[in-house]
Amino acid sequence: MSPEDPDVKAIIEPHVKELKEMMAEVVGETLVALDGTRIWTHPPGVPSGVRCVETNLGNLVADMMRWAAGDAQIALENGGGIRWHRLFPVGPITRGDVYELLPFLNTLVMMDLTGAQIKETLERSVYNYPKEFGGFLHVSGLKFTFDPTKPAGSRVVNVWVGDTPLVETAVYRVATNDFLAAGGDGYTVLTLGTNFVDTGIYLMDYMVEYLKEFSPVSPAVEGRIVVVSP
């Protein structure tokens, strides 16, 4: 290993100190533990974790995205983009925590999708259930039921936008991230969206602003994604 260069160290240290102080800034507070766990932290065979089922943390992130988008009726966020991978405890949330939660420099984008395209998107979300899938979607502004005993691609039973049943011919404004909008995780249907807008602003920065605005937060599992069976 090369010896430490004192001149370089003198240049870097003030910036490291400034960065540490910025990351330590408390930007919000949660009144409930936030579930960002993965399936391996749960009993074997139990569908669980942020890449498999609805969680309160997934709802928080999706709600933030719909809020940030302004006019979006629906928001979609892939579980693979939520990276705490643990149960985050009750208490303060720092800027560093947020940057760890949403680390991928994904930007918020909006597009118009038909109801049929939204349903196809939700089918992709649950095609691998009960196995983990990084593309499993957390949702805001809609709720849906699905039957995992049916073939993949035909599992979604009912979808509501707000309290109204999804209309396949209607057009909805949808917020998501640039990774999914580009077809990531197999979401090629999202590349067909129209009236596309990329805000150019990172999800992590929107989350910081959301927490400052709405803390303390106490998101819950609300039945946005429900498994049904015959």
Side-chain angles (χ1 to χ4, degrees), residues 110-190:
M110 288 84 77
M111 66 182 73
D112 290 343
L113 293 173
T114 66
Q117 289 169 330
I118 291 168
K119 186 176 180 182
E120 183 178 342
T121 300
L122 298 178
E123 290 284 6
R124 176 66 183 171
S125 176
V126 298
Y127 92 100
N128 205 40
Y129 182 91
K131 297 179 181 178
E132 276 199 333
F133 173 42
F136 178 83
L137 296 176
H138 297 274
V139 301
S140 179
L142 68 73
K143 57 184 178 179
F144 70 100
T145 63
F146 71 99
D147 182 351
T149 68
K150 293 183 177 181
S154 303
R155 292 181 165 182
V156 174
V157 178
N158 291 299
V159 186
W160 298 266
V161 178
D163 295 322
T164 304
L166 181 81
V167 177
E168 294 201 3
T169 56
V171 175
Y172 300 88
R173 194 67 174 160
V174 178
T176 187
N177 63 61
D178 60 328
F179 169 73
L180 292 178
D185 281 334
Y187 285 99
T188 54
V189 63
L190 295 182

Side-chain angles (χ1 to χ4, degrees), residues 12-212:
I12 292 174
E13 278 189 336
H15 298 289
V16 171
K17 181 176 182 292
E18 182 180 359
L19 181 62
K20 286 182 176 178
E21 290 173 352
M22 185 175 72
M23 292 298 106
E25 177 193 1
V26 174
V27 296
E29 178 187 3
T30 178
L31 300 179
V32 297
L34 301 174
D35 186 3
T37 58
R38 295 283 299 275
I39 200 167
W40 63 72
T41 63
H42 299 269
V46 177
S48 51
V50 75
R51 297 187 181 202
C52 192
V53 299
E54 176 188 352
T55 75
N56 66 343
L57 177 58
N59 287 349
L60 176 67
V61 174
D63 285 348
M64 173 275 294
M65 293 169 67
R66 188 158 63 99
W67 165 82
D71 63 346
Q73 297 154 279
I74 297 164
L76 309 170
E77 169 66 358
N78 54 311
I82 297 173
R83 303 298 285 197
W84 272 343
H85 294 175
R86 66 186 189 277
L87 196 65
F88 188 89
V90 171
I93 304 172
T94 67
R95 183 182 295 271
D97 292 328
V98 172
Y99 283 23
E100 179 188 356
L101 169 66
L102 300 167
F104 292 122
L105 303 184
N106 290 133
T107 58
L108 181 75
V109 303
M110 288 84 77
M111 66 182 73
D112 290 343
L113 293 173
T114 66
Q117 289 169 330
I118 291 168
K119 186 176 180 182
E120 183 178 342
T121 300
L122 298 178
E123 290 284 6
R124 176 66 183 171
S125 176
V126 298
Y127 92 100
N128 205 40
Y129 182 91
K131 297 179 181 178
E132 276 199 333
F133 173 42
F136 178 83
L137 296 176
H138 297 274
V139 301
S140 179
L142 68 73
K143 57 184 178 179
F144 70 100
T145 63
F146 71 99
D147 182 351
T149 68
K150 293 183 177 181
S154 303
R155 292 181 165 182
V156 174
V157 178
N158 291 299
V159 186
W160 298 266
V161 178
D163 295 322
T164 304
L166 181 81
V167 177
E168 294 201 3
T169 56
V171 175
Y172 300 88
R173 194 67 174 160
V174 178
T176 187
N177 63 61
D178 60 328
F179 169 73
L180 292 178
D185 281 334
Y187 285 99
T188 54
V189 63
L190 295 182
T191 66
L192 304 177
T194 58
N195 296 323
F196 181 88
V197 174
D198 188 332
T199 65
I201 298 174
Y202 299 136
L203 296 186
M204 60 176 68
D205 293 329
Y206 277 125
M207 179 59 84
V208 167
E209 295 308 311
Y210 184 86
L211 290 171
K212 287 182 176 181

Side-chain angles (χ1 to χ4, degrees), residues 2-16:
S2 302
E4 189 176 79
D5 187 318
D7 294 331
V8 173
K9 182 179 180 181
I11 294 170
I12 292 174
E13 278 189 336
H15 298 289
V16 171

